[in-house]
Amino acid sequence: MPQLRSVVLGVGAYLPAKTLTNDELAKRVDTSDEWIVQRTGIKERHIAAEGETTSMLGEKAARDALANAGVSANDIDLIVVATSTPDWTFPSTATQIQAALGITQGVAFDLQAVCSGFVFAVATAEKFLRSGSHKRALVIGAETFSRIIDWNDRTTCVLFGDGAGAMILEARPSAGRLDERGVLTTHLRSDGRHRAKLHVDGGPSATQTVGHLRMEGKEVFRFAVGQVTDVVKDAFAATGLTPEDLDWFVPHQANRRIIDMSAQKLGIAPEKIIATVHLHGNTSAASVPLALAVASADGRIKQGDLVMLEAVGGGFTWGSALIRW
Ligand code: UT7
């Protein structure tokens, strides 16, 4: 059987119309534009309108990605949606998006790895495609974290935003060379001992409530910079490629300081970093595909480029995906 590889056909994004600036937040809680920019790099974030749900954001990002890829919804036979803020406890957000797109073939399911969700979803879809079981995947990261934020907690409410990003992957024959397009390698990790450091204090089984996000920011920061780089090193080790070979580093967009310190630790040049955290805040599973969509639309990421995705989230979960675009 010929070897298969998952090739990126296109990416897309959607952001809710309403933006919330740091100055506006400073009217609600004891904070300032200066503190938020200095500690995180965030200048503004988008907030979903009343009644605008995660599946609605995801559907719009999906349509953008389908158009960008030149693919019709009928060509998709696998939908994986990464989200921690589903419309409903069930059915999955993926099946809601499947229906909204008019897709009745194939399979759709959600995947939950918080901020690492999109990288986990790419890794999952890629394994389906490489096995030959499915041909074309729609991978989405979509979130409405504004719905689980405690808007009176200044240590968290300034950090997050809403949005969605999407990617179309197609299984194509490959000779297995590193200069051929497609996902080259993925590396996922998790360690459940860290629950308390980043969690939501509600859920259907534990409390029968939705709950609010709680975070020990300093601990998460330390873990993100100290530990997460191992999965990027794993991707280099698995392929024999090096930081010099990379064209773009697209990490989870939580904090500009984490992004810069991680890149520095890995020996990745600052000009190779794609950062959108100043515009979107932390959109959890949507952050990496949103950054990819921005950098693809503005012409930075081009066909043939070597792109490293990396993310870390609650759990903890963390992962990398190395892609020849
Ligand atoms: O997606 C993965 C999850 N999230 C992350 O990756 C976030 C990881 N953590 C972080 O990004 C940073 O830890 C934060 C941005 C959350 C905080 O930055 P920090 O430099 O670690 O600040 P800190 O928590 O040490 O707080 C410093 C001070 C404290 O005051 P005192 O105790 O020094 O008087 C805080 O109470 O800043 C205070 N503070 C604020 N001040 C103004 C905390 N939040 C705010 C705020 N505005 N919004």
Side-chain angles (χ1 to χ4, degrees):
M1 208 167 83
Q3 200 177 330
L4 293 169
R5 189 175 280 179
S6 303
V7 174
V8 177
L9 297 187
V11 286
Y14 178 75
L15 290 157
K18 179 181 158 48
T19 55
L20 180 63
T21 65
N22 293 345
D23 286 333
E24 287 170 288
L25 270 169
K27 291 179 192 150
R28 295 191 195 184
V29 289
D30 182 15
T31 191
S32 65
D33 176 56
E34 192 193 356
W35 189 95
I36 300 170
V37 170
Q38 195 208 336
R39 300 286 175 134
T40 72
I42 299 167
K43 294 196 170 75
E44 62 179 24
R45 69 287 292 145
H46 291 251
I47 303 293
E50 207 181 323
E52 192 175 33
T53 65
T54 295
S55 72
M56 293 177 192
L57 306 187
E59 179 201 342
K60 286 184 172 137
R63 288 189 189 280
D64 193 36
L66 288 166
N68 182 250
V71 162
S72 125
N74 292 324
D75 297 327
I76 300 295
D77 58 2
L78 172 66
I79 303 175
V80 187
V81 176
T83 187
S84 303
T85 47
D87 294 17
W88 309 101
T89 301
F90 74 80
S92 68
T93 301
T95 55
Q96 299 306 287
I97 295 173
Q98 182 190 28
L101 292 173
I103 300 175
T104 50
Q105 73 279 2
V107 63
F109 58 88
D110 284 3
L111 183 154
Q112 211 268 54
V114 204
C115 301
S116 311
F118 185 77
V119 172
F120 275 53
V122 167
T124 303
E126 186 270 331
K127 289 180 201 300
F128 272 74
L129 295 185
R130 198 150 41 83
S131 79
S133 67
H134 294 74
K135 288 193 168 51
R136 238 168 261 107
L138 166 59
V139 184
I140 301 172
E143 303 278 17
T144 47
F145 261 51
S146 63
R147 307 267 156 74
I148 56 165
I149 290 301
D150 176 352
W151 286 101
N152 295 313
D153 176 6
R154 71 172 181 170
T155 69
T156 53
C157 76
V158 303
L159 303 175
F160 294 90
D162 300 335
M167 175 185 276
I168 311 290
L169 288 171
E170 181 177 77
R172 288 193 181 167
S174 160
R177 293 197 322 267
L178 294 172
D179 61 352
E180 285 176 289
R181 296 181 64 200
V183 179
L184 303 181
T185 189
T186 60
H187 300 267
L188 307 182
R189 293 289 315 279
S190 64
D191 185 345
R193 290 174 299 173
H194 300 280
R195 176 191 176 274
K197 292 170 189 155
L198 179 52
H199 68 287
V200 169
D201 61 7
S205 183
T207 63
Q208 301 82 58
T209 62
V210 171
H212 290 116
L213 183 148
R214 305 294 174 202
M215 179 167 70
E216 296 169 21
K218 259 199 180 343
E219 290 297 316
V220 179
F221 194 110
R222 196 170 296 140
F223 185 84
V225 176
Q227 174 75 50
V228 172
T229 42
D230 64 356
V231 286
V232 176
K233 288 182 185 157
D234 289 345
F236 287 133
T239 55
L241 294 165
T242 68
E244 287 74 46
D245 296 319
L246 271 193
D247 293 293
W248 302 108
F249 178 50
V250 190
H252 173 45
Q253 309 285 316
N255 183 319
R256 183 70 212 218
R257 283 156 60 217
I258 295 176
I259 293 171
D260 291 345
M261 286 164 81
S262 301
Q264 192 183 17
K265 198 176 152 195
L266 287 159
I268 298 170
E271 60 273 16
K272 294 181 177 178
I273 298 170
I274 305 286
T276 50
V277 67
H278 57 296
L279 301 170
H280 307 154
N282 181 348
T283 56
S284 191
S287 94
V288 168
L290 275 171
L292 287 172
V294 167
S296 164
D298 70 18
R300 272 180 290 175
I301 299 181
K302 296 179 295 295
Q303 202 167 306
D305 282 356
L306 188 64
V307 183
M308 177 75 79
L309 316 188
E310 174 262 308
V312 53
F316 290 139
T317 57
W318 66 108
S320 68
L322 185 58
I323 302 176
R324 179 71 67 188
W325 205 258

